[in-house]
């Protein structure tokens, strides 16, 4: 099968055979398909789509392009979680120890932040000494002992996806539902869990701007996971405003510790509790949502989840004393407030702009490989719905020597709207796809 | 303007600005746009199309990517001709001397044959000594003296088109009306004529399989030429069956000489006469079709056209004695007949298969740079519509030592259909676009 014939078939809107898709992924992996043919096919897929079957085959071929982590010796309760990325989304960091404390095994491989959304790895690395570059045997040892471990994606997992993603990024072919679904699911399936809960973020601060698109992506991913033999569900959650009250790295770890201590913002607690419940049910550890939610609550109330987190940090080389003494986290010294120019209700706090502002302060990166400043970030002092007086603090920016401050402040001011009436309540959990 | 933003714009079905198109063509010409970005944009153009304005800009940018031949010192009557390619299409070789004999100046740059359609250059090179690799000053000198000269496209004309075409060929992006129109017209506009007549072939043996597609291509090209300031028209002609009675190289030159001597197949004479008339009218040499056709007829009847051809051959290094002694042409010695298996009427002679058969005998090439055998080819002894008895010769294959003969014979037998009733008359000239 010649590459050009496969391209032409997709260009003409026809479904590709499993063999054709294997040829493509194999060619990309081994460099026998030149980039210009791969990008032509990617654009054709972008514009002509893929059948669910083709998307599954693409995912499976990408999984086969590399190593698949064998977690079978870790028992029946391995359960993964993936978020499509949002601003202030630190849920994984709380969720993993909560689920572990309830008997689950949560092997979490994450990416670094790029653009306006932060990365779990960058957040964790704000804990002094924390190592995300564990080998697979080290990873499994921590999982066996603690039930939770959070590391970076290794280069051996779905290498075809890495090559294709780099190409998509520069050829305008990122925004394709089957390609997004296959990319995410290839990595998740390669991680070897038996069950998987997806958090599909939806709103102006997320990749999926509306519920229809978020639902379509969720359905595509759930279909792939299920057909590939992994119990998979998706929860669609709101990402109009940042999640929680902290956006950055160390500031988000602080917030995670708050939640693990039984405090913290209501929305973070709500989303964590929901995802934990579904993970426990899907893993087969709890019979239903009610008992699962109670178990998750109890894990926090009893301190068991915090204890798991402490052990995970310790086993990954981090300083476990941060759990009790957050002053050990490297917060940047500078603070500047954004205050309300008038009295009223906060009607909007656009996540995209807040995320970009945090990035400008140094908490994120524009290009792969850029360093991040773990100490800077943004604290939300008045969430959407809050009533404020003129001069009240809305946001607090933590900066280092004023770096990026002016532009970040301008973005933050634009991100916030104050109106005369309280905005309608926005549900944080929008839909679930099973 | 980043390449990826230009690609995304077209992917989303939006028109590109002139600046964006210039950036693209410039990037391709100078290698600053990597092939993988160019091919992604080409696929997006394939699937989302281009407005007439964009197609014009693309054409003009490709013209500017290289040299534009300056024919201004050759007077007002320069008139070009281009055929989209068919089987047995030797019209240019007759047409150029006819129009030259009527006062026109016909600077013809042609390509080589590839696949099932032959190439004018390969046909001309079957004349012993004929040189198609003239420099532009040599080309202009012959044009000045003879009024017709036929050479290969120089590498300096529209180099962006050459790069894009090579990329399209391997990325499934050949079949795009705006890309085809811009590719053809960039070369034609770079050739510097004041007027241009296009022969858009239509039918199973041509690139455009039906009249609707042929008309759309003709309209796009006429629009580009006209807007670029060149008087341009198109004639859509039939390509279900081969044109004339010879398919190959030397055999086609023989047929051209027949026509220049006032003999030859009716369809070749008809198409030549029509195209010559339009070229003479468009060049401003004749007031209307009637006088123009009479002038073309007279050019042949008087021997003036043959004389022009003789001088062109001589000036291009060829042996002019072939004009009177066709035995100087290098015909291959082997002949095999394809005969009618039953009595009836020839109802079909599929051009594609005949062209492929001729290619198999060695008259064409599968890959750029392959040598061709000038002496082999196929002679049509019974055209569609002819009544035949069982055993009558339908085709005569000229082969060299049996090379490709078996496969060619099989293709030829499949190409011909014999029925009980005479087929409906097919017009050779289907439409005209002005």
């Amino acid at each position: 099968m010649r590459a050009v014939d496969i391209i032409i078939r997709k260009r003409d809107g026809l479904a590709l055979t499993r063999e054709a898709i294997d040829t493509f992924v194999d060619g990309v992996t081994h460099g026998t398909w030149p980039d210009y043919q791969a990008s032509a096919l990617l654009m054709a897929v972008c514009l002509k789509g893929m059948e669910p079957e083709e998307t599954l085959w693409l995912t499976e071929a990408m999984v086969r392009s590399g190593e698949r982590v064998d977690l079978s010796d870790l028992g029946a309760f391995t359960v993964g979680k993936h978020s499509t990325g949002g601003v202030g989304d630190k849920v994984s960091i709380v969720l993993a120890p909560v689920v572990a404390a309830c008997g689950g095994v949560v092997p979490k491989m994450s990416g670094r932040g790029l653009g306006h959304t932060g990365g779990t790895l960058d957040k964790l690395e704000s804990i002094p000494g924390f190592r995300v570059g564990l080998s697979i045997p080290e990873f499994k040892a921590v999982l066996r002992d603690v039930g939770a471990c959070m590391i970076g994606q290794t280069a051996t997992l779905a290498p075809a996806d890495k090559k294709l993603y780099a190409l998509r990024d520069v050829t305008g072919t990122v925004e394709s539902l089957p390609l997004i679904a296959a990319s995410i699911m290839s990595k998740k399936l390669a991680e070897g869990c038996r069950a998987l809960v997806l958090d599909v973020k939806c709103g102006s601060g997320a990749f999926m701007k509306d519920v229809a698109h978020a639902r379509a992506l969720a359905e595509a991913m759930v279909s792939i996971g299920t057909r590939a033999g992994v119990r998979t569900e998706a929860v669609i959650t709101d990402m109009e405003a940042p999640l929680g009250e902290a956006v950055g790295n160390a500031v988000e770890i602080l917030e995670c510790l708050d939640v693990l201590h039984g405090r913290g913002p209501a929305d973070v607690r709500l989303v964590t509790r929901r995802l934990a419940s579904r993970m426990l049910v899907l893993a087969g550890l709890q019979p239903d949502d009610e008992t699962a939610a109670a178990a998750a609550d109890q894990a926090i109330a009893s301190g068991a989840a915090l204890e798991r987190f402490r052990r995970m940090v310790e086993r990954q080389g981090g300083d476990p004393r941060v759990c009790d003494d957050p002053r050990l986290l490297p917060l940047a010294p500078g603070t500047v407030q954004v205050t309300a120019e008038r009295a009223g209700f906060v009607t909007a706090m656009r996540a995209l702009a807040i995320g970009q502002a945090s990035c400008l302060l140094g908490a994120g990166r524009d290009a792969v490989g850029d360093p991040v400043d773990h100490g800077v970030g943004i604290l939300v002092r008045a969430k959407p719905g809050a009533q404020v007086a003129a001069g009240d603090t809305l946001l607090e920016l933590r900066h280092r020597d004023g770096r990026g401050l002016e532009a970040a402040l301008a973005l933050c001011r634009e991100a916030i709207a104050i109106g005369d009436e309280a905005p309608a309540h926005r549900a944080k959990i929008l839909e679930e796809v099973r």
Side-chain angles (χ1 to χ4, degrees), chain A residues 321-359:
Chain A
R321 293 175 302 159
V322 295
C323 296
D324 308 300
D325 187 359
R327 285 169 307 178
L328 292 168
L329 290 167
L331 290 190
T335 58
V336 167
Q337 268 78 31
V338 175
T339 54
E341 293 183 355
R342 49 164 288 195
F345 293 89
V346 178
T347 54
M349 180 165 290
R350 297 176 193 96
L352 178 60
I354 302 290
Q356 288 168 334
S358 170
C359 197

mmCIF file of all heavy atoms in Angstrom, chain A residues 321-359:
data_model
loop_
_atom_site.group_PDB
_atom_site.id
_atom_site.type_symbol
_atom_site.label_atom_id
_atom_site.label_comp_id
_atom_site.label_asym_id
_atom_site.label_seq_id
_atom_site.Cartn_x
_atom_site.Cartn_y
_atom_site.Cartn_z
ATOM 1 N N ARG A 321 8.032 17.304 54.687
ATOM 2 C CA ARG A 321 7.622 18.281 55.709
ATOM 3 C C ARG A 321 6.732 19.379 55.133
ATOM 4 O O ARG A 321 6.051 20.077 55.882
ATOM 5 C CB ARG A 321 8.874 18.896 56.353
ATOM 6 C CG ARG A 321 9.684 17.896 57.180
ATOM 7 C CD ARG A 321 10.965 18.530 57.684
ATOM 8 N NE ARG A 321 11.786 19.022 56.570
ATOM 9 C CZ ARG A 321 12.738 19.944 56.681
ATOM 10 N NH1 ARG A 321 13.001 20.497 57.857
ATOM 11 N NH2 ARG A 321 13.440 20.310 55.631
ATOM 12 N N VAL A 322 6.707 19.542 53.789
ATOM 13 C CA VAL A 322 5.804 20.562 53.203
ATOM 14 C C VAL A 322 4.347 20.285 53.580
ATOM 15 O O VAL A 322 3.527 21.201 53.611
ATOM 16 C CB VAL A 322 5.884 20.642 51.661
ATOM 17 C CG1 VAL A 322 7.244 21.099 51.186
ATOM 18 C CG2 VAL A 322 5.485 19.336 51.009
ATOM 19 N N CYS A 323 4.042 19.010 53.855
ATOM 20 C CA CYS A 323 2.654 18.658 54.158
ATOM 21 C C CYS A 323 2.168 19.382 55.412
ATOM 22 O O CYS A 323 0.976 19.663 55.549
ATOM 23 C CB CYS A 323 2.516 17.150 54.333
ATOM 24 S SG CYS A 323 2.874 16.253 52.809
ATOM 25 N N ASP A 324 3.064 19.655 56.316
ATOM 26 C CA ASP A 324 2.672 20.330 57.551
ATOM 27 C C ASP A 324 3.183 21.760 57.612
ATOM 28 O O ASP A 324 2.669 22.571 58.368
ATOM 29 C CB ASP A 324 3.204 19.541 58.749
ATOM 30 C CG ASP A 324 2.808 18.083 58.641
ATOM 31 O OD1 ASP A 324 1.583 17.824 58.610
ATOM 32 O OD2 ASP A 324 3.698 17.223 58.509
ATOM 33 N N ASP A 325 4.199 22.053 56.842
ATOM 34 C CA ASP A 325 4.783 23.387 56.887
ATOM 35 C C ASP A 325 4.920 23.953 55.472
ATOM 36 O O ASP A 325 5.985 23.904 54.853
ATOM 37 C CB ASP A 325 6.161 23.302 57.547
ATOM 38 C CG ASP A 325 6.735 24.704 57.772
ATOM 39 O OD1 ASP A 325 6.062 25.698 57.386
ATOM 40 O OD2 ASP A 325 7.856 24.790 58.304
ATOM 41 N N PRO A 326 3.832 24.497 54.962
ATOM 42 C CA PRO A 326 3.824 24.978 53.574
ATOM 43 C C PRO A 326 4.829 26.084 53.324
ATOM 44 O O PRO A 326 5.121 26.401 52.172
ATOM 45 C CB PRO A 326 2.390 25.489 53.390
ATOM 46 C CG PRO A 326 1.599 24.879 54.496
ATOM 47 C CD PRO A 326 2.555 24.700 55.637
ATOM 48 N N ARG A 327 5.387 26.658 54.404
ATOM 49 C CA ARG A 327 6.380 27.720 54.173
ATOM 50 C C ARG A 327 7.644 27.172 53.505
ATOM 51 O O ARG A 327 8.484 27.927 53.026
ATOM 52 C CB ARG A 327 6.743 28.377 55.507
ATOM 53 C CG ARG A 327 5.649 29.309 56.041
ATOM 54 C CD ARG A 327 5.951 29.717 57.467
ATOM 55 N NE ARG A 327 6.185 28.546 58.310
ATOM 56 C CZ ARG A 327 6.506 28.597 59.607
ATOM 57 N NH1 ARG A 327 6.648 29.774 60.203
ATOM 58 N NH2 ARG A 327 6.696 27.491 60.303
ATOM 59 N N LEU A 328 7.761 25.834 53.481
ATOM 60 C CA LEU A 328 8.905 25.235 52.791
ATOM 61 C C LEU A 328 8.769 25.335 51.265
ATOM 62 O O LEU A 328 9.727 25.100 50.532
ATOM 63 C CB LEU A 328 9.044 23.763 53.204
ATOM 64 C CG LEU A 328 9.456 23.562 54.674
ATOM 65 C CD1 LEU A 328 9.298 22.111 55.083
ATOM 66 C CD2 LEU A 328 10.904 24.018 54.875
ATOM 67 N N LEU A 329 7.561 25.666 50.798
ATOM 68 C CA LEU A 329 7.362 25.841 49.348
ATOM 69 C C LEU A 329 7.944 27.189 48.933
ATOM 70 O O LEU A 329 7.840 28.176 49.662
ATOM 71 C CB LEU A 329 5.870 25.768 49.003
ATOM 72 C CG LEU A 329 5.256 24.372 49.156
ATOM 73 C CD1 LEU A 329 3.737 24.446 49.101
ATOM 74 C CD2 LEU A 329 5.785 23.439 48.072
ATOM 75 N N PRO A 330 8.539 27.241 47.750
ATOM 76 C CA PRO A 330 9.312 28.422 47.340
ATOM 77 C C PRO A 330 8.434 29.532 46.748
ATOM 78 O O PRO A 330 8.480 29.772 45.538
ATOM 79 C CB PRO A 330 10.246 27.846 46.279
ATOM 80 C CG PRO A 330 9.442 26.769 45.642
ATOM 81 C CD PRO A 330 8.561 26.193 46.709
ATOM 82 N N LEU A 331 7.681 30.208 47.562
ATOM 83 C CA LEU A 331 6.832 31.280 47.022
ATOM 84 C C LEU A 331 7.665 32.519 46.700
ATOM 85 O O LEU A 331 8.553 32.904 47.458
ATOM 86 C CB LEU A 331 5.736 31.641 48.028
ATOM 87 C CG LEU A 331 4.643 30.597 48.240
ATOM 88 C CD1 LEU A 331 3.503 31.177 49.076
ATOM 89 C CD2 LEU A 331 4.090 30.101 46.907
ATOM 90 N N ALA A 332 7.343 33.150 45.569
ATOM 91 C CA ALA A 332 8.040 34.384 45.193
ATOM 92 C C ALA A 332 7.607 35.497 46.151
ATOM 93 O O ALA A 332 6.456 35.520 46.608
ATOM 94 C CB ALA A 332 7.702 34.742 43.752
ATOM 95 N N PRO A 333 8.503 36.427 46.415
ATOM 96 C CA PRO A 333 8.207 37.418 47.454
ATOM 97 C C PRO A 333 7.245 38.533 47.038
ATOM 98 O O PRO A 333 6.514 39.054 47.882
ATOM 99 C CB PRO A 333 9.590 37.994 47.778
ATOM 100 C CG PRO A 333 10.417 37.753 46.554
ATOM 101 C CD PRO A 333 9.885 36.523 45.917
ATOM 102 N N GLY A 334 7.243 38.917 45.776
ATOM 103 C CA GLY A 334 6.454 40.090 45.383
ATOM 104 C C GLY A 334 4.971 39.812 45.312
ATOM 105 O O GLY A 334 4.540 38.759 44.837
ATOM 106 N N THR A 335 4.168 40.754 45.812
ATOM 107 C CA THR A 335 2.713 40.605 45.649
ATOM 108 C C THR A 335 2.125 41.933 45.187
ATOM 109 O O THR A 335 2.542 43.003 45.625
ATOM 110 C CB THR A 335 2.013 40.199 46.967
ATOM 111 O OG1 THR A 335 2.293 41.177 47.967
ATOM 112 C CG2 THR A 335 2.469 38.841 47.466
ATOM 113 N N VAL A 336 1.162 41.838 44.324
ATOM 114 C CA VAL A 336 0.419 43.016 43.839
ATOM 115 C C VAL A 336 -1.042 42.619 43.759
ATOM 116 O O VAL A 336 -1.367 41.505 43.338
ATOM 117 C CB VAL A 336 0.932 43.448 42.440
ATOM 118 C CG1 VAL A 336 -0.034 44.442 41.807
ATOM 119 C CG2 VAL A 336 2.315 44.063 42.541
ATOM 120 N N GLN A 337 -1.910 43.529 44.184
ATOM 121 C CA GLN A 337 -3.338 43.228 44.161
ATOM 122 C C GLN A 337 -4.024 43.835 42.932
ATOM 123 O O GLN A 337 -3.651 44.912 42.480
ATOM 124 C CB GLN A 337 -4.038 43.804 45.411
ATOM 125 C CG GLN A 337 -4.127 42.848 46.594
ATOM 126 C CD GLN A 337 -2.827 42.732 47.346
ATOM 127 O OE1 GLN A 337 -2.056 43.695 47.408
ATOM 128 N NE2 GLN A 337 -2.550 41.566 47.905
ATOM 129 N N VAL A 338 -4.998 43.105 42.458
ATOM 130 C CA VAL A 338 -5.944 43.679 41.489
ATOM 131 C C VAL A 338 -7.231 43.909 42.276
ATOM 132 O O VAL A 338 -7.770 42.973 42.878
ATOM 133 C CB VAL A 338 -6.221 42.727 40.309
ATOM 134 C CG1 VAL A 338 -7.300 43.294 39.393
ATOM 135 C CG2 VAL A 338 -4.931 42.462 39.535
ATOM 136 N N THR A 339 -7.701 45.171 42.294
ATOM 137 C CA THR A 339 -8.866 45.483 43.122
ATOM 138 C C THR A 339 -10.066 45.849 42.254
ATOM 139 O O THR A 339 -9.929 46.180 41.071
ATOM 140 C CB THR A 339 -8.547 46.667 44.057
ATOM 141 O OG1 THR A 339 -8.078 47.756 43.267
ATOM 142 C CG2 THR A 339 -7.468 46.281 45.067
ATOM 143 N N ALA A 340 -11.223 45.790 42.881
ATOM 144 C CA ALA A 340 -12.466 46.100 42.159
ATOM 145 C C ALA A 340 -12.557 47.604 41.932
ATOM 146 O O ALA A 340 -12.354 48.392 42.847
ATOM 147 C CB ALA A 340 -13.666 45.605 42.963
ATOM 148 N N GLU A 341 -12.864 47.985 40.698
ATOM 149 C CA GLU A 341 -12.993 49.408 40.385
ATOM 150 C C GLU A 341 -14.359 49.941 40.787
ATOM 151 O O GLU A 341 -14.590 51.141 40.843
ATOM 152 C CB GLU A 341 -12.761 49.635 38.893
ATOM 153 C CG GLU A 341 -11.308 49.325 38.512
ATOM 154 C CD GLU A 341 -11.013 49.613 37.053
ATOM 155 O OE1 GLU A 341 -11.970 49.969 36.316
ATOM 156 O OE2 GLU A 341 -9.846 49.482 36.673
ATOM 157 N N ARG A 342 -15.255 49.032 41.045
ATOM 158 C CA ARG A 342 -16.612 49.427 41.419
ATOM 159 C C ARG A 342 -17.211 48.327 42.296
ATOM 160 O O ARG A 342 -16.687 47.208 42.356
ATOM 161 C CB ARG A 342 -17.481 49.648 40.180
ATOM 162 C CG ARG A 342 -17.413 48.509 39.165
ATOM 163 C CD ARG A 342 -18.534 48.542 38.158
ATOM 164 N NE ARG A 342 -19.794 48.171 38.767
ATOM 165 C CZ ARG A 342 -20.889 47.842 38.077
ATOM 166 N NH1 ARG A 342 -20.876 47.862 36.755
ATOM 167 N NH2 ARG A 342 -22.001 47.509 38.693
ATOM 168 N N ALA A 343 -18.317 48.650 42.926
ATOM 169 C CA ALA A 343 -19.032 47.644 43.716
ATOM 170 C C ALA A 343 -19.899 46.803 42.787
ATOM 171 O O ALA A 343 -20.284 47.259 41.702
ATOM 172 C CB ALA A 343 -19.894 48.329 44.765
ATOM 173 N N GLY A 344 -20.214 45.599 43.222
ATOM 174 C CA GLY A 344 -21.094 44.748 42.420
ATOM 175 C C GLY A 344 -20.768 43.278 42.621
ATOM 176 O O GLY A 344 -20.191 42.904 43.638
ATOM 177 N N PHE A 345 -21.138 42.485 41.625
ATOM 178 C CA PHE A 345 -20.869 41.052 41.678
ATOM 179 C C PHE A 345 -19.832 40.682 40.615
ATOM 180 O O PHE A 345 -19.884 41.208 39.499
ATOM 181 C CB PHE A 345 -22.156 40.255 41.402
ATOM 182 C CG PHE A 345 -23.189 40.407 42.489
ATOM 183 C CD1 PHE A 345 -24.137 41.443 42.437
ATOM 184 C CD2 PHE A 345 -23.212 39.526 43.574
ATOM 185 C CE1 PHE A 345 -25.086 41.583 43.435
ATOM 186 C CE2 PHE A 345 -24.173 39.668 44.579
ATOM 187 C CZ PHE A 345 -25.109 40.696 44.517
ATOM 188 N N VAL A 346 -18.912 39.809 40.973
ATOM 189 C CA VAL A 346 -17.991 39.285 39.960
ATOM 190 C C VAL A 346 -18.809 38.375 39.046
ATOM 191 O O VAL A 346 -19.354 37.363 39.484
ATOM 192 C CB VAL A 346 -16.832 38.509 40.611
ATOM 193 C CG1 VAL A 346 -15.923 37.922 39.534
ATOM 194 C CG2 VAL A 346 -16.047 39.403 41.557
ATOM 195 N N THR A 347 -18.937 38.804 37.788
ATOM 196 C CA THR A 347 -19.762 38.017 36.850
ATOM 197 C C THR A 347 -18.913 37.132 35.936
ATOM 198 O O THR A 347 -19.416 36.200 35.337
ATOM 199 C CB THR A 347 -20.637 38.944 35.984
ATOM 200 O OG1 THR A 347 -19.776 39.912 35.364
ATOM 201 C CG2 THR A 347 -21.663 39.675 36.835
ATOM 202 N N ALA A 348 -17.637 37.461 35.798
ATOM 203 C CA ALA A 348 -16.771 36.628 34.958
ATOM 204 C C ALA A 348 -15.333 36.763 35.414
ATOM 205 O O ALA A 348 -14.901 37.826 35.869
ATOM 206 C CB ALA A 348 -16.879 37.034 33.483
ATOM 207 N N MET A 349 -14.625 35.675 35.319
ATOM 208 C CA MET A 349 -13.173 35.680 35.542
ATOM 209 C C MET A 349 -12.619 34.682 34.540
ATOM 210 O O MET A 349 -12.594 33.473 34.780
ATOM 211 C CB MET A 349 -12.863 35.248 36.973
ATOM 212 C CG MET A 349 -11.365 35.235 37.239
ATOM 213 S SD MET A 349 -11.024 35.151 38.995
ATOM 214 C CE MET A 349 -11.525 36.763 39.543
ATOM 215 N N ARG A 350 -12.246 35.222 33.374
ATOM 216 C CA ARG A 350 -11.950 34.356 32.223
ATOM 217 C C ARG A 350 -10.663 33.559 32.434
ATOM 218 O O ARG A 350 -9.575 34.119 32.570
ATOM 219 C CB ARG A 350 -11.891 35.199 30.948
ATOM 220 C CG ARG A 350 -13.245 35.857 30.653
ATOM 221 C CD ARG A 350 -13.256 36.792 29.471
ATOM 222 N NE ARG A 350 -14.503 37.570 29.486
ATOM 223 C CZ ARG A 350 -14.609 38.804 30.004
ATOM 224 N NH1 ARG A 350 -13.548 39.413 30.522
ATOM 225 N NH2 ARG A 350 -15.774 39.430 30.003
ATOM 226 N N ALA A 351 -10.843 32.247 32.417
ATOM 227 C CA ALA A 351 -9.730 31.355 32.752
ATOM 228 C C ALA A 351 -8.565 31.509 31.787
ATOM 229 O O ALA A 351 -7.394 31.484 32.201
ATOM 230 C CB ALA A 351 -10.219 29.904 32.762
ATOM 231 N N LEU A 352 -8.869 31.669 30.505
ATOM 232 C CA LEU A 352 -7.798 31.758 29.509
ATOM 233 C C LEU A 352 -6.850 32.905 29.845
ATOM 234 O O LEU A 352 -5.624 32.742 29.877
ATOM 235 C CB LEU A 352 -8.414 31.959 28.119
ATOM 236 C CG LEU A 352 -7.426 32.125 26.962
ATOM 237 C CD1 LEU A 352 -6.534 30.902 26.821
ATOM 238 C CD2 LEU A 352 -8.178 32.381 25.654
ATOM 239 N N ALA A 353 -7.416 34.086 30.127
ATOM 240 C CA ALA A 353 -6.593 35.260 30.414
ATOM 241 C C ALA A 353 -5.822 35.091 31.724
ATOM 242 O O ALA A 353 -4.651 35.469 31.817
ATOM 243 C CB ALA A 353 -7.473 36.508 30.468
ATOM 244 N N ILE A 354 -6.460 34.505 32.733
ATOM 245 C CA ILE A 354 -5.775 34.297 34.011
ATOM 246 C C ILE A 354 -4.606 33.328 33.812
ATOM 247 O O ILE A 354 -3.508 33.534 34.326
ATOM 248 C CB ILE A 354 -6.761 33.744 35.073
ATOM 249 C CG1 ILE A 354 -7.952 34.703 35.269
ATOM 250 C CG2 ILE A 354 -6.035 33.464 36.397
ATOM 251 C CD1 ILE A 354 -7.622 36.011 35.948
ATOM 252 N N GLY A 355 -4.861 32.282 33.017
ATOM 253 C CA GLY A 355 -3.795 31.320 32.730
ATOM 254 C C GLY A 355 -2.647 31.974 31.978
ATOM 255 O O GLY A 355 -1.474 31.731 32.271
ATOM 256 N N GLN A 356 -3.000 32.815 31.009
ATOM 257 C CA GLN A 356 -1.951 33.503 30.241
ATOM 258 C C GLN A 356 -1.168 34.458 31.131
ATOM 259 O O GLN A 356 0.054 34.588 31.019
ATOM 260 C CB GLN A 356 -2.576 34.266 29.069
ATOM 261 C CG GLN A 356 -3.060 33.325 27.959
ATOM 262 C CD GLN A 356 -3.940 34.017 26.916
ATOM 263 O OE1 GLN A 356 -4.594 35.025 27.217
ATOM 264 N NE2 GLN A 356 -3.956 33.478 25.712
ATOM 265 N N ALA A 357 -1.886 35.126 32.056
ATOM 266 C CA ALA A 357 -1.228 36.064 32.963
ATOM 267 C C ALA A 357 -0.237 35.323 33.862
ATOM 268 O O ALA A 357 0.894 35.771 34.077
ATOM 269 C CB ALA A 357 -2.271 36.802 33.792
ATOM 270 N N SER A 358 -0.650 34.171 34.376
ATOM 271 C CA SER A 358 0.222 33.374 35.230
ATOM 272 C C SER A 358 1.467 32.955 34.457
ATOM 273 O O SER A 358 2.594 32.972 34.971
ATOM 274 C CB SER A 358 -0.552 32.150 35.729
ATOM 275 O OG SER A 358 0.307 31.249 36.367
ATOM 276 N N CYS A 359 1.252 32.605 33.187
ATOM 277 C CA CYS A 359 2.350 32.219 32.306
ATOM 278 C C CYS A 359 3.318 33.389 32.126
ATOM 279 O O CYS A 359 4.543 33.211 32.176
ATOM 280 C CB CYS A 359 1.735 31.796 30.980
ATOM 281 S SG CYS A 359 2.803 30.857 29.918
#
